[in-house]
Amino acid sequence: MTLIEKTDNFFTKHEKLLSILSLILATITSILLFDVKVSLSGDDCDYIVAAGEFWKNFTYPGHHGPLYPIILSPFVGIFGIKLVLLKALSVIFIVASLWFFYKSFQHIVPAIIIIPTLLLVSINPYVLFFASYTYSEPLFMFMQALFFYLFSKYFWNKNSEYSLKKDWGKYLALALAIMGMGLTRTIGFCVIGVIILYFIIERRWKDLIYTVSIFTIIFGIFYFLKPIIWPDSSSVQSFETLLAKNPYNPEQGSEGFSGIIQRLIDNSNIYLSGFLYKYFGFRSSSDLPLKDLPALSILTYILFIICFVSVFKKNKSLVFTGLYAGILIFANFILLHKSWAQDRILMVYYPYVLLFLIGGFYYIFNKKAFRSISFIFPLILASLFIGTGIHAKNRIGKNLPALQQYLLGNDLYGLTPDWENFVKMSRWANENLDKDVVIASRKPTISYVYTGRYFYGMYNVPYVNIHEITKQSLVDKNDNIFLTIEVGENQAILNNLAPLLQYIFVTKQGASFSINGKGIKSAIVYKIEKSLFSEDLINSLNEYKLNYTLDYDSFLKQYVEDSNVGYQIIDPDVLLQNIKDNNIRYLILAKIRVYTPQNTGLFINTIHQYVTFIQLKYPNRFVLRHTIGKEETCELAEYIGE
């Protein structure tokens, strides 16, 4: 008896016990990794806010997958924002997904494949990390596992032969599961392509026609009724945004074929050579981005193909699993921008990737040609358990001090000073300011989750298009002179010109613009009526050696010709009007770090820019009312109007 056969006998003999143990381990590991804080990105808070809006106003949650906020909504509506309760739902979703995952493959794949996979996932710290966050991934894992369970029950049985008249309920249940996946994460709709391909391979034409037809009907009914029930509903990111070169600047156009290929290469390196092998326990557990290893990415593709060939005639459930994992991950690599790299994108597919690869290696080493070295397979399993166990130990050890503090009531323990001061200021503002006043926050959903109060989201500074400026300048230059001055130390002498300030030009890092041949970081443009322009002003500029130009056309030409858009043009009046239009009274000036692990002195200064740019033209419109923190302080400014 080979080592593989002995190992298989062990897992088969203790399969029931080990399957229950895996669920217990997943629950315990989830508790040990539990984190009561919200993520610093605020994405998890978005779901809570959307859930509250759905419960309160029946607002369709269109920005992200809508199903998760809808499921959260009664818990938010009835119990309020209880983070521990909402996070506990994620634990339930993940543990339940592992149960359905097991039931999908029980007695269909050998115990030596399913049980090690189940145990490895149940102690994986990167999967169970999400058991304490209100992201949609835990729900997606549950919907995904439910889909596999239904597909396993109905379509992996060799003797299954259905008629639409008698078995329409089976196809309907599968269609609803697909809808559940797609409405949790849009990429889930791609599973219909997996089903089509699988049924073609299996030549199950009736199943193909029935499944696709019923899904199409359900899909069509939902998207027909949606605009009727929710006429103002927004949608998730458009296909154009996904294929744009820069999702935050659509003017740069769409990716061409070469751009898509490069995106595939980049994402393969990030997710395969990086995140996947980190999940295996074979790479560092560091929070820092892992170095791309293209050779490892290529090797992974080769192993995937080899495993697919090895299971093709051996186990149809593993064929389906390989198609599912391969197609959905490949679709993610094509559609997602490199800058969006997050391990949770791969996390939901990890159990199926692991199952497929372990299954592939099992059938490879079970062949006669490899019987003499079949001991390698148990060694692979052992190395996976050792690597995953070490990562779990490190992650749990790192989280235990925080867990102890949470139990003592310190729910902000572990936050860096910038974030701690921001949350404290949000709470102070909620407790001390009138409930009807509008408060602007750079992270309004985080402010909301920690206070239960809505804040106005001020995410970016509105910019003016250079082509609009050049067009307007042609109209204005007949009666006005444009004075463009580099922002410098002697700017105070221009205070009298503040009401005439028109635009502020800010140069982004790495860009190059100049006045009189000297590179500038920022410049201010004043529009002065010709009748008010005097030689005294020029004399003052020269006396204080300010770098200026009256050649507005040449100055603007630099920006018109800049294809990289390495600048921002701000109109203080637009900023001020936005504050007035939204009745903003207070603004939280938080110094949230650009680089979270370390205070480099750089911080997200969106709201600071709002105040600063408006103050340049309209001094004394803001006053500081409160400050929190000695380092990386957070301030509260009040807009006092004219």
Side-chain angles (χ1 to χ4, degrees):
M1 183 179 290
T2 65
L3 186 56
I4 286 185
E5 292 170 334
K6 291 179 180 179
T7 307
D8 192 15
N9 288 340
F10 170 80
F11 285 120
T12 302
K13 182 178 179 180
H14 302 287
E15 181 173 350
K16 184 176 181 180
L17 176 64
L18 292 174
S19 63
I20 296 172
L21 177 63
S22 68
L23 301 183
I24 296 172
L25 284 173
T27 304
I28 293 173
T29 307
S30 297
I31 294 172
L32 293 175
L33 290 170
F34 202 81
D35 189 345
V36 301
K37 301 188 303 298
V38 299
S39 74
L40 300 184
S41 68
D43 289 355
D44 51 343
C45 297
D46 291 342
Y47 293 109
I48 298 175
V49 174
E53 283 294 304
F54 183 81
W55 181 264
K56 183 179 179 181
N57 302 315
F58 199 54
T59 303
Y60 183 78
H63 180 62
H64 294 290
L67 185 59
Y68 182 50
I70 291 173
I71 290 176
L72 282 185
S73 63
F75 296 94
V76 174
I78 296 171
F79 302 104
I81 303 174
K82 306 295 183 184
L83 283 176
V84 173
L85 171 63
L86 298 177
K87 289 168 178 279
L89 294 176
S90 294
V91 177
I92 294 171
F93 287 140
I94 288 184
V95 174
S97 76
L98 293 180
W99 175 249
F100 278 107
F101 173 75
Y102 168 65
K103 298 301 288 184
S104 299
F105 297 95
Q106 184 185 20
H107 307 314
I108 295 178
V109 300
I112 194 175
I113 299 174
I114 182 60
I115 295 300
T117 302
L118 195 62
L119 289 170
L120 284 166
V121 176
S122 71
I123 61 171
N124 191 290
Y126 307 110
V127 173
L128 298 173
F129 167 85
F130 291 97
S132 63
Y133 280 87
T134 53
Y135 287 109
S136 63
E137 277 68 22
L139 177 62
F140 184 84
M141 288 187 70
F142 174 76
M143 298 305 303
Q144 174 182 244
L146 182 60
F147 162 78
F148 265 85
Y149 174 74
L150 293 173
F151 201 88
S152 166
K153 186 177 180 181
Y154 299 149
F155 299 110
W156 286 341
N157 185 345
K158 292 181 180 180
N159 299 319
S160 60
E161 184 67 36
Y162 304 128
S163 67
L164 186 59
K165 184 177 181 180
K166 292 182 179 180
D167 302 293
W168 61 269
K170 296 181 175 63
Y171 298 102
L172 177 61
L174 192 66
L176 291 174
I178 298 170
M179 285 296 296
M181 290 175 63
L183 292 176
T184 305
R185 293 180 69 187
T186 308
I187 197 73
F189 284 126
C190 289
V191 73
I192 195 66
V194 179
I195 293 172
I196 292 171
L197 183 57
Y198 177 78
F199 282 148
I200 290 175
I201 292 173
E202 291 292 312
R203 298 182 181 181
R204 299 177 67 160
W205 310 114
K206 288 183 178 180
D207 288 332
L208 171 61
I209 294 171
Y210 297 159
T211 302
V212 172
S213 298
I214 292 182
F215 168 73
T216 302
I217 292 170
I218 298 298
F219 183 88
I221 291 173
F222 177 81
Y223 282 98
F224 173 77
L225 294 177
K226 178 189 164 190
I228 298 174
I229 300 173
W230 296 287
D232 298 325
S233 62
S234 59
S235 59
V236 295
Q237 291 164 324
S238 67
F239 193 67
E240 290 77 10
T241 301
L242 293 172
L243 292 182
K245 291 181 179 179
N246 184 342
Y248 309 108
N249 187 5
E251 292 182 0
Q252 294 185 17
S254 300
E255 290 281 18
F257 178 75
S258 60
I260 294 295
I261 296 300
Q262 187 59 52
R263 185 185 291 185
L264 174 63
I265 294 171
D266 291 337
N267 284 330
S268 295
N269 290 330
I270 292 169
Y271 291 99
L272 296 185
S273 74
F275 291 139
L276 181 59
Y277 284 86
K278 186 174 180 176
Y279 276 43
F280 287 155
F282 296 160
R283 296 200 67 180
S284 171
S285 61
S286 169
D287 289 326
L288 297 175
L290 296 171
K291 181 181 179 181
D292 293 347
L293 298 176
L296 190 56
S297 300
I298 295 171
L299 175 62
T300 305
Y301 277 114
I302 294 173
L303 289 176
F304 193 92
I305 294 170
I306 291 173
C307 286
F308 192 82
V309 172
S310 72
V311 304
F312 190 77
K313 292 185 179 180
K314 298 290 185 179
N315 193 301
K316 64 173 61 181
S317 68
L318 290 178
V319 171
F320 184 86
T321 303
L323 290 174
Y324 174 82
I327 290 175
L328 267 73
I329 291 174
F330 188 84
N332 275 284
F333 288 177
I334 292 294
L335 295 175
L336 297 179
H337 292 267
K338 177 182 178 181
S339 61
W340 293 347
Q342 298 180 67
D343 64 340
R344 58 193 174 112
I345 291 169
L346 180 68
M347 182 274 291
V348 295
Y349 310 115
Y350 178 69
Y352 300 91
V353 172
L354 186 62
L355 179 81
F356 172 74
L357 292 177
I358 289 176
F361 282 120
Y362 169 76
Y363 285 110
I364 288 172
F365 287 106
N366 244 354
K367 292 181 179 180
K368 290 183 179 180
F370 297 101
R371 284 289 179 91
S372 60
I373 57 171
S374 62
F375 64 88
I376 294 177
F377 179 73
L379 290 179
I380 292 174
L381 294 181
S383 63
L384 286 168
F385 275 105
I386 292 171
T388 304
I390 291 173
H391 281 222
K393 175 180 175 294
N394 292 341
R395 287 279 163 169
I396 291 171
K398 185 178 179 180
N399 191 63
L400 281 179
L403 187 58
Q404 292 171 347
Q405 288 294 318
Y406 304 151
L407 294 174
L408 293 173
N410 184 1
D411 64 338
L412 301 184
Y413 180 83
L415 288 177
T416 51
D418 55 328
W419 281 103
E420 184 177 355
N421 293 334
F422 167 72
V423 174
K424 287 181 177 179
M425 181 61 82
S426 298
R427 286 174 168 173
W428 187 93
N430 175 57
E431 294 167 1
N432 293 276
L433 301 179
D434 189 273
K435 298 300 180 183
D436 294 329
V437 300
V438 179
I439 308 169
S441 171
R442 179 60 178 78
K443 293 286 185 176
T445 56
I446 295 180
S447 296
Y448 169 80
V449 166
Y450 279 108
T451 64
R453 173 179 183 150
Y454 288 102
F455 288 70
Y456 176 80
M458 196 171 275
Y459 303 104
N460 51 59
V461 178
Y463 305 133
V464 185
N465 186 287
I466 184 63
H467 300 292
E468 294 178 9
I469 293 175
T470 54
K471 183 179 180 180
Q472 187 61 40
S473 69
L474 295 175
V475 177
D476 293 340
K477 69 179 181 180
N478 291 329
D479 300 317
N480 301 276
I481 292 176
F482 292 94
L483 172 63
T484 307
I485 304 178
E486 177 188 1
V487 175
E489 297 178 358
N490 298 319
Q491 204 70 33
I493 70 166
L494 301 170
N495 286 346
N496 291 335
L497 293 178
L500 305 178
L501 190 155
Q502 189 177 34
Y503 299 117
I504 302 163
F505 285 71
V506 179
T507 301
K508 294 181 181 179
Q509 187 175 4
S512 177
F513 302 99
S514 64
I515 296 176
N516 299 319
K518 179 187 176 183
I520 59 171
K521 292 183 178 179
S522 55
I524 296 178
V525 175
Y526 299 92
K527 186 173 75 171
I528 307 171
E529 291 184 16
K530 287 183 178 179
S531 61
L532 300 177
F533 194 82
S534 67
E535 288 296 324
D536 291 339
L537 174 59
I538 297 298
N539 292 335
S540 296
L541 296 175
N542 292 330
E543 179 183 352
Y544 285 94
K545 298 181 179 180
L546 294 179
N547 185 26
Y548 71 93
T549 181
L550 299 177
D551 188 356
Y552 194 42
D553 290 340
S554 296
F555 177 76
L556 293 180
K557 186 178 179 182
Q558 301 176 90
Y559 297 89
V560 172
E561 294 177 349
D562 177 52
S563 59
N564 295 319
V565 194
Y567 59 87
Q568 299 166 346
I569 307 173
I570 297 96
D571 182 345
D573 288 306
V574 172
L575 274 56
L576 183 60
Q577 192 60 47
N578 188 43
I579 286 179
K580 292 179 179 179
D581 290 345
N582 292 285
N583 299 312
I584 297 171
R585 177 78 175 276
Y586 294 93
L587 303 94
I588 296 178
L589 303 175
K591 294 184 177 179
I592 297 173
R593 299 175 185 177
V594 171
Y595 178 61
T596 300
Q598 183 180 349
N599 180 12
T600 62
L602 300 176
F603 58 89
I604 301 171
N605 60 356
T606 304
I607 301 183
H608 290 79
Q609 286 184 335
Y610 249 88
V611 173
T612 300
F613 293 147
I614 292 173
Q615 289 274 79
L616 284 173
K617 185 168 184 177
Y618 302 103
N620 305 318
R621 293 294 177 91
F622 299 92
V623 293
L624 292 179
R625 293 302 188 194
H626 192 64
T627 301
I628 291 179
K630 295 181 179 179
E631 296 181 1
E632 300 179 275
T633 58
C634 187
E635 299 170 320
L636 184 73
E638 180 183 4
Y639 170 66
I640 58 176
E642 299 178 15

